[in-house]
Amino acid sequence: MAREMQKSSMFIEQTTADYENGDAQKNLDDDGRPKRTGTWITASAHIITAVIGSGVLSLAWAIAQLGWVAGPAVLMIFSFITYFTSTLLADCYRAPDPIHGKRNYTYMDVVRAYLGGRKVQLCGLAQYANLLGITIGYTITASISMVAVKRSNCFHNHGHETKCQTSNNPFMIIFACFQIILSQIPNFHELSWLSILAAIMSFAYSSIGLGLSIAKVAGGSGHLNTTSLTGVTVGVDVSSTDKIWKTFQAVGNIAFAYAFSTVLVEIQDTLKSSPPENKSMKRASGIGVMTTTLFYVLCGIMGYAAFGNDAPGNFLTGFGFYEPFWLLDFANVCIAIHLIGAYQVFAQPLFGFVEKMCKGRYPDNAFIVREHAINVPFCGVYYLNFFRLIWRTAYVIVTAVLAMLFPFFNDFLGLIGAGSFWPLTVYFPIEIHIAQLKIPKYSFRWVWLKILSWVCLIVSLIAATGSIQGLIHSLSVYKPFQTPEE
């Protein structure tokens, strides 16, 4: 009976008896945990879900700030950097040997294994602050997409000049209700189905945005919009100061749009050990980054061709298009569904970190450690933990409340991203790689890796400057008791 429950259970807390049972051993990995079943396909889905956010539809704006030359070039450069550093990090999941070494379950564990010291705390601060910011940002973005559905129908029925303003708050509450339910999925290993669904949704709305842009260009209406090699024109579209700030922001948006290193180790921990996890993860990273880059380039270039220097921040929620309204509604529903899944991809590592820390500190506290078996029809046995239920529910509520209080939190998110991109995507993977291979100081490889790290640090500082300027502007015009404009 116990064996049947184990096979059908959504979550199993292993006991000492399990380890002594020969049959149970067959269902355990080399670390005594339930056997991992993830493949490069599920890992690719997690990566695409994490990387392709609704921000893909804002790349037309980013290309408009940079122009035909710098825009695509920056996209390609950061895709290469992201893929390269992700392969370095993939080799560090096990230590000291990348194939037979001891597993590291989180990014902090990897840093602890190879670097140690205060760098572990710095890594945790950057990672979990970024994850918190992303989940709040996704709450805001998902609500904007839901509101866009209602506004799209309003514009269709009453004309494009109608204001059709709607509060985001009720839709943030709806989004939070979904997250409270999904947050009870105990761990990352149970998220594959949600990530695959979210990845399909990202392909759907990206394709719709791309198709509408192509139709606009093919129909001739896009030819009326000015484009240029250097983007928006100083003295015509923007002032010289605005041009600088917007260029900084555009570079930062593109750089951070690729970052998935905050959850890379957690994704790799879902993979089965044959073939080796680092090999599967490198394949998944390649597919994820290549797919992302393809959509980014196509959506950015075609969006810029369609709208020119007047490209909106998001041409689905920002109403670069009004018709066909039903297709826009479908695209925005896809964005909301995708962000429901993406929220979980970024929240689960934070959930796991807090729960592991509390269990380690209070191992005898029944409220924290005890699992209660509940038979769920058609799903098997679900193990309910009251601490997990209360803590995760409280987290979702807090992120929703913060999103309602500060609807311009995306400016904070940009600042958090600026602070986490360099350490998490570039610095730590490079430093760990140097430590793992014991690369001699001042050797050719050591020098060019250090140069890459310093260049990315400068980009992060530039992007942080642009984010701070955007935050100051948002604070100066913010009216807390008024529905924010799109």
Side-chain angles (χ1 to χ4, degrees):
M1 179 66 179
R3 200 178 306 161
E4 291 174 359
M5 287 175 61
Q6 190 177 46
K7 290 180 181 178
S8 62
S9 171
M10 296 171 65
F11 177 69
I12 298 292
E13 188 72 27
Q14 297 296 331
T15 64
T16 305
D18 292 328
Y19 297 102
E20 296 172 352
N21 186 301
D23 290 336
Q25 284 283 10
K26 296 178 182 178
N27 295 320
L28 301 179
D29 266 328
D30 54 4
D31 59 347
R33 296 194 176 189
K35 191 172 286 293
R36 296 157 177 82
T37 58
T39 65
W40 64 269
I41 296 176
T42 59
S44 298
H46 285 314
I47 292 170
I48 292 171
T49 300
V51 178
I52 301 184
S54 59
V56 66
L57 302 175
S58 69
L59 287 176
W61 177 87
I63 299 292
Q65 311 314 307
L66 299 172
W68 285 119
V69 177
V74 171
L75 278 170
M76 298 305 297
I77 289 170
F78 281 104
S79 69
F80 171 77
I81 292 173
T82 302
Y83 172 68
F84 173 69
T85 57
S86 69
T87 60
L88 299 183
L89 197 55
D91 281 332
C92 302
Y93 169 65
R94 289 179 180 266
D97 182 77
I99 298 179
H100 304 294
K102 181 180 177 293
R103 295 174 187 269
N104 295 297
Y105 305 115
T106 67
Y107 203 138
M108 285 182 68
D109 289 340
V110 172
V111 175
R112 184 179 292 109
Y114 286 98
L115 301 178
R118 290 190 176 274
K119 291 181 180 179
V120 179
Q121 285 71 37
L122 292 175
C123 171
L125 179 63
Q127 181 183 12
Y128 296 116
N130 189 43
L131 294 176
L132 172 64
I134 288 173
T135 53
I136 296 175
Y138 278 1
T139 303
I140 297 170
T141 308
S143 70
I144 291 173
S145 294
M146 295 177 190
V147 166
V149 174
K150 189 171 183 179
R151 294 184 67 201
S152 174
N153 287 273
C154 175
F155 287 135
H156 177 74
N157 293 326
H158 303 289
H160 300 170
E161 303 304 320
T162 309
K163 280 196 172 182
C164 294
Q165 291 299 320
T166 303
S167 173
N168 291 359
N169 291 350
F171 296 94
M172 291 185 187
I173 294 173
I174 293 172
F175 182 81
C177 290
F178 278 108
Q179 294 306 333
I180 288 173
I181 296 171
L182 291 173
S183 291
Q184 302 316 311
I185 296 175
N187 52 54
F188 222 130
H189 304 273
E190 307 290 345
L191 280 179
S192 297
W193 66 271
L194 185 60
S195 283
I196 291 172
L197 174 63
I200 292 171
M201 293 297 102
S202 68
F203 284 131
Y205 69 71
S206 297
S207 299
I208 291 171
L210 176 61
L212 290 174
S213 295
I214 294 173
K216 187 176 179 68
V217 173
S221 55
H223 297 164
L224 300 175
N225 299 302
T226 303
T227 64
S228 70
L229 294 177
T230 57
V232 292
T233 306
V234 175
V236 178
D237 304 303
V238 292
S239 66
S240 57
T241 303
D242 284 341
K243 172 72 173 179
I244 294 173
W245 290 125
K246 290 178 183 290
T247 298
F248 288 174
Q249 291 176 17
V251 172
N253 287 349
I254 293 172
F256 308 136
Y258 280 103
F260 65 96
S261 59
T262 48
V263 292
L264 186 146
V265 177
E266 285 81 358
I267 292 174
Q268 191 166 349
D269 190 45
T270 67
L271 296 174
K272 56 185 180 181
S273 56
S274 180
E277 299 91 350
N278 63 332
K279 182 177 179 181
S280 296
M281 194 64 197
K282 288 178 182 179
R283 184 177 184 183
S285 296
I287 292 172
V289 172
M290 182 175 64
T291 303
T292 301
T293 302
L294 177 63
F295 272 90
Y296 279 7
V297 170
L298 288 175
C299 290
I301 288 177
M302 293 310 303
Y304 184 41
F307 297 102
N309 294 339
D310 295 326
N314 185 317
F315 51 71
L316 288 182
T317 62
F319 291 94
F321 304 102
Y322 289 91
E323 300 292 342
F325 78 98
W326 58 269
L327 187 60
L328 290 172
D329 289 350
F330 176 72
N332 281 303
V333 169
C334 288
I335 292 175
I337 294 174
H338 171 248
L339 292 179
I340 287 173
Y343 183 104
Q344 286 300 313
V345 169
F346 284 99
Q348 284 287 342
L350 183 56
F351 292 158
F353 170 72
V354 171
E355 289 157 19
K356 179 182 177 181
M357 180 178 65
C358 291
K359 286 181 179 180
R361 184 167 295 182
Y362 307 105
D364 300 322
N365 189 311
F367 174 73
I368 294 176
V369 301
R370 182 173 296 172
E371 304 282 341
H372 303 271
I374 299 176
N375 283 304
V376 181
F378 309 110
C379 295
V381 179
Y382 176 77
Y383 282 80
L384 175 67
N385 177 280
F386 287 116
F387 172 71
R388 182 169 63 238
L389 173 66
I390 294 173
W391 137 246
R392 295 189 181 193
T393 300
Y395 177 87
V396 173
I397 292 173
V398 168
T399 57
V401 170
L402 288 174
M404 292 180 205
L405 291 175
F406 304 103
F408 51 82
F409 195 88
N410 281 332
D411 294 309
F412 283 109
L413 182 59
L415 186 58
I416 292 171
S420 62
F421 168 76
W422 175 71
L424 296 175
T425 303
V426 181
Y427 174 75
F428 282 121
I430 287 177
E431 291 300 311
I432 291 169
H433 177 68
I434 291 173
Q436 183 186 45
L437 298 185
K438 297 180 174 58
I439 298 174
K441 199 171 185 180
Y442 302 118
S443 65
F444 176 77
R445 186 175 180 84
W446 184 91
V447 169
W448 75 258
L449 285 172
K450 289 289 187 177
I451 290 174
L452 174 62
S453 181
W454 278 101
V455 169
C456 290
L457 172 60
I458 293 171
V459 171
S460 286
L461 293 175
I462 288 173
T465 304
S467 297
I468 291 172
Q469 190 274 340
L471 178 60
I472 293 172
H473 174 74
S474 296
L475 287 169
S476 67
V477 300
Y478 178 53
K479 298 177 181 179
F481 300 106
Q482 206 170 13
T483 300
E485 295 289 334
E486 295 278 346

